[in-house]
Amino acid sequence: MPTGGISVRKPNAEHSKKMQGKYISWAAIILSILLLASSIIITGFPDIKDRIHFPAKSLDASFDGWYYYEGTDKVPASPLPYNVTGSKADFYNIIPEGYNTGYVMSFDNSYQYIKVYIDGQLVYQYQKDKENPRFMPSKIRCFVDILPEYCGKEVRISIKSDSLSPYSKLSPVWLQTPKEAVNTLFIENIRPFLFFIMIGGLGIAMLIGFLILCRQKSQNRPDFYMLLYLALFILDSAIWVFTDSGLPQFFFGNSLLVMVVSFEAFLLLPLPLLAFIRTFSGSQNSFGKLQWLCVLNFIAQNLLYIFGAANFMRMLLLTHAILLLNIAYGAVYMCVELYHSRSLYAKWTLIGLGLFVGISCLSLVSFYKTKGNDNSRFFTLGFTIFIIILMLLMFRRFLGISEESAKSAVYQELAYKDILTGLGNRTAYEEKLETLDDIILLNQNTAVIMLDIDKLKIVNDTWGHREGDSLIRDAAECIWNAYGDIGDCYRVGGDEFIVILKNCTLTPDTYRVNLETSIQACNASRNIPLSISSGFAQKPEDLPEITIRSLISMADQQMYQHKHKGASDKPDF
């Protein structure tokens, strides 16, 4: 085989730079995983009652009214939820008569410290744990047991806001029984619950699909990685929406741990989305820099949290600023690409992404306007629209890939198959020889049969090429019937065939009789009889070794001897 012109590629500066980039990326991934695990492990378990209860009767302004004081003035707090300017506020009411043992007073709380007094006595508190410097107020539902002796007495809810908002907010307050809590839990959280189940299941299915596709050899690996990034983004979104809802507090007693997981999921949210955009964008370097910015922010915030320097809530403005930077750059990029792109796939992807980004901005506005109450509502809406568009596009794209793969498989088969006979063609035969070319045959199990249709030219000249083609097809069928189960059959010329036997255990005469039997059965229904000359070659016992090409040459010589020797015995057309 020729060896000239082969060059060995030496490592260059560009290759070394790529390898360094891969090492840095893996180091960042490993460090991020370690920091994520450390942040979750060191999260404390605050000694607070984090159970959830749900409404039966309202204690808002229409029911004896909540109020607060501005100086000495009594101001109604109506309607609830009600915001008071300032980081601290006290809200008052009177516990109604007629509530026996088994009732609780409950209200939602978003990132505030809470103390509840009844008749001046502290009965409930959700405060910073002095033993846990990493404690931060989370989104929970507070509840206070209502004893019969509390009826008719004054209740005071003291609220201290964290740095998230300049307001102190009192959500609607309810009186209810524990049994009613279970009945209404999924009603109040039906949207995030369904989102978590459906989108989470979709993400897992897409991840499994990616793993299945990776096991198949394909040239469309960028499309597969697009599927991976989208699956990771879906799973991360499902985790964030779930941990940001009221459901985890029902299942887990540690509200702080849930909040840490929620922040970790939110910090990681831009990474798979940016990776997804990079797969089809022409500005990969810019999006790569944005990814590194998000990674550095994730690492820095986890380090600060681990060492107790700051909690995630106090660093939320930085996270939102980086998110807005991603949104701003993404918006500019999408506008430019929509103007220049002619691809329907790219345009609808960008439109879906644009809708998601725009609605995500509304989610940020809602977060600060409502002080973190139900801030994932707009996100889930935009995300659902985005995923529906992407799923339709990806279904169409992978359908196209499947069609192309099917066509490629057909073309691959046609490239190695003789159209007229269905046997292997000359190309398939030559590739088979290349695999056997340098193999020395040391046993007698491999043999070659050369075959040639007798008087094909006379048939073509006398009865036309249509009859000649029919003769070729019948000859191929006879050869296949005789040798198809024990060897590889090829048509290597107009009237020439070759069979490479894989496991030769019979005598040459037996192989020849098998072919003659097949030919006799075929001639029973033919007007023009079929005749085939053949030559058989097998490794001689007196030769220590022999190549496949030597066997072919021997079989070819025998075939022509058979053709000329038996010319007088051939059927007369």
Side-chain angles (χ1 to χ4, degrees):
M1 296 178 67
T3 57
I6 298 177
S7 61
V8 179
R9 184 170 180 250
K10 297 182 178 180
N12 51 30
E14 181 181 355
H15 179 67
S16 300
K17 187 176 181 180
K18 288 182 178 180
M19 293 302 298
Q20 291 176 2
K22 288 185 178 180
Y23 293 146
I24 294 173
S25 299
W26 276 109
I29 291 172
I30 294 172
L31 177 60
S32 299
I33 293 174
L34 291 175
L35 290 174
L36 174 61
S38 300
S39 297
I40 293 175
I41 291 172
I42 68 170
T43 298
F45 294 85
D47 185 18
I48 58 173
K49 296 180 179 179
D50 286 346
R51 292 180 290 168
I52 291 186
H53 297 274
F54 291 89
K57 299 182 180 179
S58 175
L59 274 177
D60 57 15
S62 64
F63 189 75
D64 290 339
W66 288 89
Y67 59 92
Y68 67 99
Y69 288 98
E70 287 186 355
T72 58
D73 296 331
K74 183 178 178 181
V75 181
S78 176
L80 297 180
Y82 192 86
N83 293 327
V84 174
T85 303
S87 60
K88 294 181 181 180
D90 292 327
F91 296 90
Y92 300 87
N93 209 325
I94 302 297
I95 300 293
E97 298 286 351
Y99 285 93
N100 299 318
T101 303
Y103 282 89
V104 292
M105 181 179 71
S106 66
F107 54 94
D108 288 327
N109 174 44
S110 298
Y111 317 112
Q112 301 177 124
Y113 298 114
I114 302 292
K115 287 185 178 181
V116 178
Y117 300 86
I118 294 181
D119 200 23
Q121 180 183 358
L122 180 64
V123 295
Y124 173 87
Q125 63 176 345
Y126 177 69
Q127 291 292 310
K128 186 172 183 179
D129 188 352
K130 295 180 180 179
E131 297 180 359
N132 183 8
R134 300 174 187 85
F135 177 78
M136 49 187 165
S138 58
K139 182 189 292 186
I140 69 167
R141 176 160 292 198
C142 303
F143 82 98
V144 180
D145 292 324
I146 300 298
L147 303 178
E149 56 266 28
Y150 292 165
C151 295
K153 295 182 179 179
E154 182 185 67
V155 55
R156 173 164 61 98
I157 300 178
S158 180
I159 298 175
K160 180 181 178 182
S161 177
D162 201 23
S163 59
L164 178 65
S165 170
Y167 301 100
S168 298
K169 175 184 174 181
L170 178 64
S171 298
V173 184
W174 312 90
L175 289 177
Q176 69 278 325
T177 64
K179 183 178 179 180
E180 291 166 332
V182 177
N183 296 333
T184 55
L185 169 66
F186 290 105
I187 295 177
E188 288 197 354
N189 292 274
I190 189 66
R191 177 182 48 79
F193 175 74
L194 292 178
F195 183 89
F196 174 72
I197 295 298
M198 297 173 63
I199 299 300
L202 176 62
I204 293 174
M206 294 177 69
L207 191 59
I208 294 173
F210 166 76
L211 295 176
I212 293 174
L213 290 173
C214 280
R215 294 177 63 89
Q216 303 175 358
K217 295 181 179 180
S218 174
Q219 300 297 322
N220 297 289
R221 287 301 175 90
D223 295 299
F224 294 169
Y225 282 103
M226 183 184 296
L227 185 65
L228 171 64
Y229 301 141
L230 187 58
L232 293 177
F233 177 63
I234 289 174
L235 289 173
D236 192 35
S237 299
I239 293 172
W240 177 63
V241 170
F242 176 75
T243 53
D244 193 61
S245 70
L247 289 171
Q249 189 182 347
F250 180 78
F251 296 105
F252 308 102
N254 189 349
S255 63
L256 179 58
L257 178 60
V258 172
M259 188 177 184
V260 169
V261 173
S262 179
F263 271 105
E264 299 285 9
F266 187 71
L267 287 171
L268 293 172
L269 205 55
L271 290 175
L273 182 60
L274 290 172
F276 172 79
I277 297 174
R278 286 186 67 185
T279 57
F280 61 85
S281 76
S283 183
Q284 294 196 6
N285 289 335
S286 298
F287 282 107
K289 292 177 181 177
L290 289 176
Q291 280 183 291
W292 275 109
L293 180 62
C294 293
V295 169
L296 292 175
N297 177 51
F298 178 84
I299 293 174
Q301 291 204 26
N302 275 277
L303 286 173
L304 292 173
Y305 177 76
I306 290 171
F307 291 104
N311 61 44
F312 292 110
M313 181 60 69
R314 296 187 181 276
M315 296 181 285
L316 189 58
L317 284 174
L318 174 62
T319 303
H320 285 166
I322 293 175
L323 185 61
L324 286 173
L325 176 63
N326 288 324
I327 290 175
Y329 182 82
V332 174
Y333 165 76
M334 284 183 287
C335 291
V336 174
E337 286 296 309
L338 279 173
Y339 180 77
H340 293 289
S341 177
R342 296 181 179 180
S343 169
L344 179 66
Y345 177 83
K347 281 189 174 182
W348 276 103
T349 301
L350 293 170
I351 290 173
L353 189 60
L355 289 172
F356 170 67
V357 168
I359 297 177
S360 295
C361 289
L362 291 178
S363 182
L364 282 177
V365 173
S366 173
F367 177 80
Y368 286 100
K369 186 176 180 180
T370 64
K371 203 175 186 300
N373 187 33
D374 198 22
N375 53 291
S376 64
R377 176 161 48 102
F378 290 106
F379 176 86
T380 53
L381 173 62
F383 183 88
T384 303
I385 296 174
F386 176 53
I387 290 300
I388 290 174
I389 293 176
L390 281 185
M391 291 303 298
L392 292 174
L393 290 173
M394 291 193 72
F395 176 76
R396 180 176 178 178
R397 186 174 185 121
F398 279 104
L399 186 63
I401 292 174
S402 300
E403 291 176 354
E404 290 177 5
S405 299
K407 290 179 181 178
S408 177
V410 172
Y411 294 149
Q412 182 90 1
E413 184 178 1
L414 291 177
Y416 294 98
K417 179 179 288 188
D418 180 65
I419 302 299
L420 181 62
T421 65
L423 302 181
N425 60 13
R426 183 85 189 187
T427 302
Y429 167 68
E430 293 293 344
E431 289 196 5
K432 180 69 173 180
L433 285 189
E434 286 185 8
T435 63
L436 301 174
D437 195 40
D438 296 327
I439 298 178
I440 298 177
L441 304 174
L442 301 177
N443 56 64
Q444 293 179 297
N445 289 336
T446 301
V448 173
I449 303 176
M450 293 290 297
L451 305 111
D452 187 275
I453 301 175
D454 297 322
K455 301 180 181 180
L456 176 63
K457 185 177 184 304
I458 297 176
V459 173
N460 285 332
D461 293 343
T462 306
W463 287 280
H465 285 276
R466 176 175 294 181
E467 189 62 38
D469 289 346
S470 174
L471 195 68
I472 293 172
R473 282 193 295 268
D474 286 347
E477 184 176 356
C478 291
I479 293 169
W480 177 259
N481 290 337
Y483 308 121
D485 293 336
I486 56 177
D488 298 323
C489 306
Y490 305 94
R491 181 189 178 203
V492 295
D495 56 358
E496 294 181 353
F497 299 83
I498 186 170
V499 178
I500 300 177
L501 297 175
K502 303 173 184 177
N503 189 16
C504 180
T505 58
L506 304 178
T507 63
D509 289 338
T510 303
Y511 289 114
R512 188 171 289 111
V513 168
N514 290 343
L515 177 62
E516 293 298 332
T517 302
S518 181
I519 292 174
Q520 291 176 7
C522 176
N523 284 336
S525 59
R526 286 190 60 83
N527 295 325
I528 301 174
L530 169 67
S531 175
I532 300 176
S533 297
S534 63
F536 180 91
Q538 190 175 10
K539 176 183 172 295
E541 295 182 359
D542 57 343
L543 289 180
E545 57 186 36
I546 192 171
T547 64
I548 187 68
R549 292 186 183 273
S550 297
L551 283 182
I552 293 172
S553 178
M554 294 166 59
D556 191 56
Q557 292 176 10
Q558 284 198 12
M559 186 265 294
Y560 277 104
Q561 289 177 6
H562 179 224
K563 180 181 284 288
H564 295 303
K565 180 180 179 181
S568 59
D569 299 330
K570 303 300 178 185
D572 188 2
F573 295 154

